[in-house]
Amino acid sequence: MNAGQPGARTLAPKAAMTTRENPWPLRLLTENIKTYVEKMSTLWVEGQIVEYKPRPGTRMAFFVLRDVQADTSMTVTAFPSVLDRTGPGFEEGARVVIRATPVFWEKRGTLNLRAEEIHLQGLGDLLAQIEMLRRKLSAEGLFAPERKVPLPFAPKVIGLVCGRNAKAKDDVVVNASARWPAIGFEIREVAVQGVHAVREVCAAMTELDGLSHVDVIVVARGGGSVEDLLPFSDETMVRTAATIRKPLVSAIGHEADAPLLDLVADFRASTPTDAARRVVPDLAQETAGLTQAASRMRSAVARVVGRERERLSLVTSRPVMVEPRAIVERHVQVVDGLRGRLSVALSRMLSREQTGLARAIGTLRALSPQATLDRGYALLRTPGGDLIRSTDQIAKGDLLEGVLASGRLVAQVFGFTPATSDTSASEDDPLAN
């Protein structure tokens, strides 16, 4: 209670005069601190920006300024127009000189700076060195995409490099085991910041790379300041990572953090939890996928079988399949018809030929010398076998052979009458030829 009110006590005018029985209300302390801070003059201060997230459209910008040699930091506020006048290059890691006024916030009891001018002093030394190293290693091809090794689909053992009793370890182990219960781990807990981090992380990666049962290696660390993550941009660690033969996953910090280990690793995970999701498949999802695939396969096979069954039914219902002889019946009828026609044609042809043959035989017999002989004529031949056609061929006393219709005889010429014109053989005489 304030003085002047009934029952009010008189507060000590100075902090040194407060007692256990007469303390200050907290509001009085913050009021006095605010009054003291407001008496401070505007000053120039230097430091390195370690936390800054641009938020377009906001009325006030916030960033954290850290001393480059001590672990001392303070929040700084500035109007967007002040940052606009700073120009490009205002980002995490940049060194700046600020003209600022100390401001004490009574309700929160916090002290920060309100910047009126900001002047860039170039990139922070550490980030500048990292940028130079990045360009050097990139030129050597250590970050080339063709060097990347694909992650195995379902590894049996994960080699995990993490901090001692770190949350990153639980993030990887718990999430990976939940997704793929059969997964195993080879865990190496090492220093992930400080002077021993590079040596211990490199040794752990090399050791895990030499274990034949380890399928993939994950290097995991939770978030931290730029300085905390510096070991993962060390040249020795990056070059060691480039020699690892097994698939290497970098899970350092948060999404915005980008140590050089991310660039040389075969896969970069935004967080340790993300690494667990990327390294192993989800058993439930894969099981559901297999179930769906099996269902689709059964449906596809059923459709094919149904379609082929319909086709088979159409084929078997055709008359030719119901009565297989139907396919040859028409041809049998055609053959039978052709056979009948052929038989008739052959009969006619044989009859015709027989008739012709009979006529030829009759003609041949009529023209045959034998027929002439049968009518009573005879043929005379010389002993030499020449047929006698004229008396010029014989002389008195010649012996002649006579050919009769039946048998032969020998005759002797006792005389003959020479042929005259009126007694010449007629053309119809069968013996004239």
Side-chain angles (χ1 to χ4, degrees):
M1 290 183 290
N2 297 330
Q5 295 181 354
R9 61 183 174 88
T10 302
L11 298 176
K14 296 181 180 181
M17 298 174 64
T18 59
T19 63
R20 179 179 179 182
E21 292 75 16
N22 189 21
W24 273 1
L26 182 59
R27 68 178 183 279
L28 182 57
L29 173 61
T30 58
E31 290 173 359
N32 287 333
I33 293 176
K34 179 177 178 62
T35 301
Y36 178 80
V37 171
E38 288 178 347
K39 293 179 181 179
M40 296 180 64
S41 61
T42 301
L43 71 158
W44 289 91
V45 63
E46 69 172 350
Q48 186 177 28
I49 300 171
V50 293
E51 292 183 24
Y52 171 58
K53 300 296 185 291
R55 294 180 175 85
T58 58
R59 298 179 58 187
M60 188 68 70
F62 297 85
F63 60 91
V64 176
L65 189 69
R66 175 174 290 181
D67 190 285
V68 295
Q69 296 182 349
D71 192 16
T72 302
S73 61
M74 184 174 290
T75 300
V76 181
T77 62
F79 290 106
S81 58
V82 175
L83 298 184
D84 293 341
R85 290 194 298 270
T86 302
F90 185 84
E91 58 188 13
E92 291 184 359
R95 282 189 175 184
V96 293
V97 174
I98 299 174
R99 189 169 74 88
T101 302
V103 177
F104 183 77
W105 296 90
E106 295 178 69
K107 292 185 177 181
R108 294 194 301 269
T110 58
L111 178 69
N112 59 20
L113 298 175
R114 184 174 64 245
E116 299 178 5
E117 292 182 43
I118 302 176
H119 299 275
L120 292 172
Q121 298 297 305
L123 285 174
D125 292 341
L126 297 176
L127 294 183
Q129 294 175 12
I130 292 174
E131 177 62 19
M132 293 175 60
L133 179 60
R134 185 194 67 79
R135 295 177 182 177
K136 172 185 174 183
L137 298 180
S138 178
E140 294 180 14
L142 265 65
F143 307 148
E146 55 268 20
R147 295 188 69 257
K148 308 297 183 183
V149 179
L151 300 181
F153 170 70
K156 295 181 179 179
V157 178
I158 297 175
L160 176 60
V161 181
C162 58
R164 297 181 177 90
N165 299 318
K167 184 177 182 299
K169 170 186 172 182
D170 295 334
D171 289 343
V172 175
V173 173
V174 172
N175 286 281
S177 299
R179 290 171 61 86
W180 197 255
I183 192 66
F185 294 91
E186 280 285 350
I187 302 176
R188 299 295 181 268
E189 296 185 6
V190 298
V192 291
Q193 68 181 62
V195 295
H196 302 295
V198 174
R199 176 176 54 82
E200 293 187 13
V201 172
C202 290
M205 289 192 299
T206 303
E207 179 187 358
L208 293 174
D209 190 44
L211 299 179
S212 59
H213 63 284
V214 173
D215 301 310
V216 61
I217 300 173
V218 177
V219 181
R221 186 201 191 285
S225 65
V226 175
E227 290 86 348
D228 293 339
L229 302 182
L230 284 177
F232 299 96
S233 292
D234 184 85
E235 182 174 2
T236 299
M237 183 178 294
V238 175
R239 292 191 181 277
T240 300
T243 63
I244 300 300
R245 294 167 298 175
K246 289 183 170 61
L248 178 65
V249 177
S250 174
I252 308 301
H254 301 298
E255 180 67 35
D257 299 318
L260 297 185
L261 185 64
D262 285 353
L263 302 179
V264 75
D266 298 305
F267 184 84
R268 185 249 179 183
S270 58
T271 62
T273 300
D274 181 52
R277 291 196 298 265
R278 302 286 185 169
V279 170
V280 296
D282 187 348
L283 179 60
Q285 181 178 351
E286 296 301 325
T287 302
L290 288 175
T291 301
Q292 293 175 2
S295 177
R296 290 195 299 269
M297 290 176 62
R298 283 193 292 269
S299 298
V301 171
R303 287 195 299 270
V304 172
V305 171
R307 186 168 57 248
E308 295 304 320
R309 182 173 292 160
E310 290 178 359
R311 292 179 179 177
L312 183 60
S313 177
L314 291 175
V315 171
T316 55
S317 63
R318 292 177 180 176
V320 69
M321 298 300 294
V322 175
E323 180 55 50
R325 286 181 53 85
I327 194 172
V328 297
E329 192 65 35
R330 182 170 59 86
H331 299 289
V332 170
Q333 295 175 359
V334 172
V335 171
D336 289 343
L338 292 175
R339 182 183 298 165
R341 289 161 56 189
L342 179 61
S343 178
V344 171
L346 286 175
S347 298
R348 291 176 179 175
M349 184 179 67
L350 288 175
S351 177
R352 187 171 55 251
E353 294 301 322
Q354 287 174 350
T355 301
L357 180 60
R359 290 176 181 175
I361 291 174
T363 302
L364 181 60
R365 287 176 177 174
L367 297 177
S368 171
Q370 182 65 40
T372 303
L373 295 176
D374 289 339
R375 291 198 301 270
Y377 293 91
L379 298 177
L380 295 177
R381 293 179 177 177
T382 64
D386 294 330
L387 185 64
I388 299 174
R389 291 183 176 86
S390 173
T391 57
D392 295 337
Q393 297 175 255
I394 60 176
K396 186 178 179 179
D398 289 341
L399 292 177
L400 302 177
E401 179 186 13
V403 179
L404 306 177
S406 176
R408 301 181 180 207
L409 59 85
V410 177
Q412 185 175 20
V413 179
F414 290 98
F416 58 85
T417 302
T420 60
S421 58
D422 57 339
T423 61
S424 60
S426 66
E427 293 181 359
D428 295 332
D429 189 349
L431 297 180
N433 292 327

